[in-house]
Amino acid sequence: MRQPKQDEGGLAVTVVESAQPDAGSLTLVFTENPLSLRQWIVVDQQGKTTTVMVSDLQFGMALDPMLFQYQSLFSGSNR
């Protein structure tokens, strides 16, 4: 883990593989009051960046349990 960075907007924590620091990184960005994950940033080995932002959070909703069940895209034994 690299040194966490904090500013008035929140906290960013970056983790890297210590044995291979050039293999990429993952940064988690949190807001404060309340502490909440707002985005994550992945930098791959080629230096390409993917950012995912979380917004319009809704709490206390009922979710269909099927959302959390893996369904293979492949049918039969072709794989």
Side-chain angles (χ1 to χ4, degrees):
M1 181 172 86
R2 295 183 180 154
Q3 182 69 32
K5 295 179 183 178
Q6 188 169 10
D7 61 21
E8 64 278 345
L11 174 69
V13 178
T14 300
V15 293
V16 295
E17 177 72 41
S18 59
Q20 296 179 319
D22 295 331
S25 65
L26 170 66
T27 300
L28 303 172
V29 180
F30 299 89
T31 59
E32 294 183 282
N33 297 325
L35 184 63
S36 177
L37 177 64
R38 285 305 193 189
Q39 73 179 23
W40 59 92
I41 304 161
V42 177
V43 179
D44 69 15
Q45 191 170 13
Q46 297 175 340
K48 307 272 189 206
T49 301
T50 300
T51 301
V52 177
M53 298 182 78
V54 180
S55 62
D56 297 327
L57 300 176
Q58 298 179 14
F59 299 94
M61 296 179 53
L63 298 174
D64 184 347
M66 291 296 292
L67 290 172
F68 304 97
Q69 292 183 4
Y70 175 75
Q71 295 178 356
S72 175
L73 299 175
F74 304 98
S75 60
S77 61
N78 295 335
R79 189 168 178 193

